[in-house]
């Protein structure tokens, strides 16, 4: 799990409303820490820490976001490049609700929430508004064939 941010943006992170992540499929956990960036209020507990865990299986990749702390979330939008399987997922769920799957990259770039499988990079691009509280993303790769039907 790699946060993607331009070097010149690091000094202004407290005003950033978008988090961009590159996530590989192996199991792992990373923490994103946020506070106001200007005071020492973090020492009194005014911060938010988001634990991001990836749990892959043969049929799906589950990404869990768990928040702790009492600072209000600065992040409003997530953009994730998920690299895990060589095929497009059948569906991508955000807290159990399907995200729209776009076949055209221009349509995906114009959307507020959705998913797009980039065949050149073999990544699933996800974009969504941050839900309140903890949340989970499931990329479902289960294959349905004629024998299963």
């Amino acid at each position: 799990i790699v946060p993607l941010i331009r070097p010149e943006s690091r000094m202004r992170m407290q005003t950033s409303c978008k988090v961009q992540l590159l996530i590989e499929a192996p199991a792992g956990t990373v923490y994103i820490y946020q506070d106001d960036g200007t005071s020492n209020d973090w020492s009194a507990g005014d911060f938010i820490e988001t634990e991001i865990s990836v749990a892959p299986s043969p049929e799906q990749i589950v990404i869990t976001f768990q928040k702790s702390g009492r600072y209000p979330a600065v992040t409003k939008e997530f953009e994730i490049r998920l690299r895990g399987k060589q095929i497009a997922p059948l569906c991508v769920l955000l807290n159990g609700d399907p995200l729209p799957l776009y076949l055209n990259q221009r349509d995906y770039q114009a959307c507020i929430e959705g998913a797009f499988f980039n065949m050149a990079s073999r990544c699933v691009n996800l974009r969504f508004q941050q839900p309140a509280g903890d949340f989970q993303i499931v990329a479902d790769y289960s294959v349905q064939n004629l024998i299963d039907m």
Side-chain angles (χ1 to χ4, degrees):
I1 303 171
V2 179
L4 304 174
I5 187 166
R6 289 184 220 94
E8 66 271 10
S9 300
R10 279 188 258 171
M11 298 305 291
R12 298 182 302 275
M13 283 180 67
Q14 70 272 13
T15 61
S16 175
C17 292
K18 184 191 309 185
V19 170
Q20 296 175 317
L21 301 171
L22 171 63
I23 299 178
E24 294 279 341
T29 301
V30 70
Y31 296 87
I32 294 179
Y33 173 88
Q34 294 174 318
D35 63 20
D36 66 10
T38 57
S39 71
N40 287 331
D41 292 346
W42 59 268
S43 62
D46 288 341
F47 63 87
I48 188 165
E49 188 174 64
T50 305
E51 177 184 338
I52 305 171
S53 301
V54 178
S57 72
E59 292 191 354
Q60 65 184 11
I61 298 173
V62 178
I63 307 166
T64 305
F65 294 74
Q66 294 180 313
K67 300 175 199 158
S68 61
R70 63 177 189 230
Y71 188 73
V74 177
T75 304
K76 304 291 183 224
E77 180 182 353
F78 278 91
E79 283 189 8
I80 297 174
R81 281 192 283 173
L82 175 60
R83 188 173 176 95
K85 307 281 184 179
Q86 295 294 314
I87 59 173
L90 292 177
C91 66
V92 177
L93 305 173
L94 174 62
N95 279 344
D97 297 324
L99 287 174
L101 288 172
Y102 292 93
L103 297 176
N104 185 309
Q105 189 170 10
R106 278 185 242 128
D107 293 340
Y108 169 74
Q109 290 170 340
C111 79
I112 295 173
E113 290 192 338
F116 171 74
F117 181 70
N118 186 324
M119 292 185 67
S121 66
R122 299 287 188 204
C123 289
V124 180
N125 297 327
L126 307 171
R127 176 182 297 149
F128 57 91
Q129 301 299 306
Q130 176 166 264
D134 297 341
F135 59 98
Q136 185 177 70
I137 297 169
V138 177
D140 183 2
Y141 291 94
S142 60
V143 177
Q144 296 292 322
N145 56 42
L146 293 175
I147 296 172
D148 290 340
M149 292 182 180

